[in-house]
């Protein structure tokens, strides 16, 4: 049996219009995300075969492929839930996400400062990549990471809680080569309730890691 499976979308293809059109959502989820799931499962099978045969000539490539496909699967699984047609705006205590709002202010000085940094990080990734808001357990603060491909340039142990997909397949059919316009539009569909739940869960798990200050 496959280790990883493609999760269902938490909404229909048209739920994020006009920010993301239905055709992009369908292709992105059903084709691109599905390919990462298949890639991760196929690589696990190839690693099992390598162990059985003690044939390690391709180990570097297999480990890289596993990191690429598995990280793609995980980031996309977060991405779908990070968005909602009823989202956007700024996280506020009145909406039940005050802890997240306070953490953003503490870590970045203001919500505006955080928004500007994540926007620039996502929009200026070289080639394909992501802009990521992550909980960093050593400092107990939130950080922005600029992820190349799916797994590069991240702090070990950090937990992603909000991800902006800046790969061309996420926007090109609608926004052409205007990545910045797509990232700017993404703020209108951010699901702060989901981000806040991920932040709370990341904080609760932090103490199980053996970390030095």
């Amino acid at each position: 049996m496959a280790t990883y499976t493609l999760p269902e979308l938490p909404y229909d293809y048209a739920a994020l219009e006009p920010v993301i059109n239905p055709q992009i959502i369908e292709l992105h989820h059903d084709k691109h995300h599905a390919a990462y799931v298949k890639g991760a499962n196929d690589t696990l099978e190839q690693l099992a075969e390598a162990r059985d045969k003690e044939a390690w000539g391709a180990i570097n490539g297999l480990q890289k492929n596993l990191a690429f496909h598995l990280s793609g699967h995980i980031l996309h699984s977060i991405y779908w839930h990070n968005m909602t047609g009823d989202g956007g705006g700024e996280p506020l205590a009145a909406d039940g996400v005050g802890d997240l709002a306070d953490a953003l202010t503490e870590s970045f000085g203001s919500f505006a400062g955080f928004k500007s940094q994540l926007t620039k990080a996502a929009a200026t990734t070289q080639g394909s990549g992501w802009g990521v808001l992550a909980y960093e357990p050593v400092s107990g603060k939130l950080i922005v990471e600029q992820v190349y491909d799916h797994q590069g340039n991240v702090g070990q142990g950090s937990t992603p809680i909000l991800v902006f997909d800046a790969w061309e397949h996420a926007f090109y059919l609608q926004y052409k080569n205007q990545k910045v316009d797509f990232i700017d539009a993404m703020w209108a569909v951010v699901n702060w309730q989901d981000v806040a739940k991920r932040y709370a869960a990341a904080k609760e798990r932090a103490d199980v890691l053996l970390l030095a200050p």
Side-chain angles (χ1 to χ4, degrees), residues 201-212:
K203 285 197 302 179
E204 290 177 0
R205 292 197 303 267
D207 61 0
V208 304
L209 300 176
L210 297 178
L211 295 167

Side-chain angles (χ1 to χ4, degrees), residues 114-124 144 164 180 183-184 187:
F114 152 67
K115 181 178 179 180
S116 178
Q117 184 176 344
L118 182 55
T119 296
K120 293 299 182 182
T124 60
V144 164
F164 279 11
V180 174
I183 300 302
D184 284 340
W187 291 102

Side-chain angles (χ1 to χ4, degrees), residues 25-201:
I25 296 295
E26 182 177 5
L27 289 172
H28 196 168
H29 176 268
D30 297 1
K31 301 298 182 182
H32 292 281
H33 189 172
Y36 300 129
V37 173
K38 183 179 185 303
N41 287 323
D42 288 349
T43 305
L44 287 177
E45 290 181 4
Q46 292 165 9
L47 284 165
E49 182 178 355
R51 289 193 299 272
D52 289 342
K53 296 181 178 180
E54 279 291 318
W56 298 113
I59 184 63
N60 287 340
L62 289 174
Q63 293 293 164
K64 183 177 180 180
N65 285 344
L66 181 61
F68 177 82
H69 291 297
L70 178 54
S71 296
H73 171 42
I74 291 171
L75 287 169
H76 280 91
S77 296
I78 297 170
Y79 179 66
W80 305 124
H81 287 275
N82 273 172
M83 298 183 291
T84 175
D86 299 323
E90 182 175 344
L92 301 171
D95 298 324
V97 292
D99 286 349
L100 173 64
D102 290 344
L104 289 171
T105 299
E106 179 184 356
S107 298
F108 300 98
S110 66
F111 175 76
F114 152 67
K115 181 178 179 180
S116 178
Q117 184 176 344
L118 182 55
T119 296
K120 293 299 182 182
T124 60
T125 50
Q126 294 179 347
S128 300
W130 300 69
V132 174
L133 172 68
Y135 176 75
E136 197 284 291
V138 176
S139 66
K141 293 186 177 181
L142 296 170
I143 60 173
V144 164
E145 297 179 324
Q146 192 178 49
V147 180
Y148 297 105
D149 289 333
H150 290 319
Q151 77 280 5
N153 205 28
V154 300
Q156 297 300 313
S158 61
T159 301
I161 63 172
L162 172 63
V163 299
F164 279 11
D165 192 344
W167 284 63
E168 286 188 346
H169 64 237
F171 64 88
Y172 200 86
L173 288 176
Q174 185 173 355
Y175 292 85
K176 302 300 185 264
N177 64 336
Q178 299 303 311
K179 184 190 294 186
V180 174
D181 291 346
F182 171 64
I183 300 302
D184 284 340
M186 275 288 299
W187 291 102
V189 294
V190 174
N191 184 348
W192 292 116
Q193 297 294 328
D194 181 70
V195 179
K197 290 177 182 178
R198 294 179 187 279
Y199 171 60

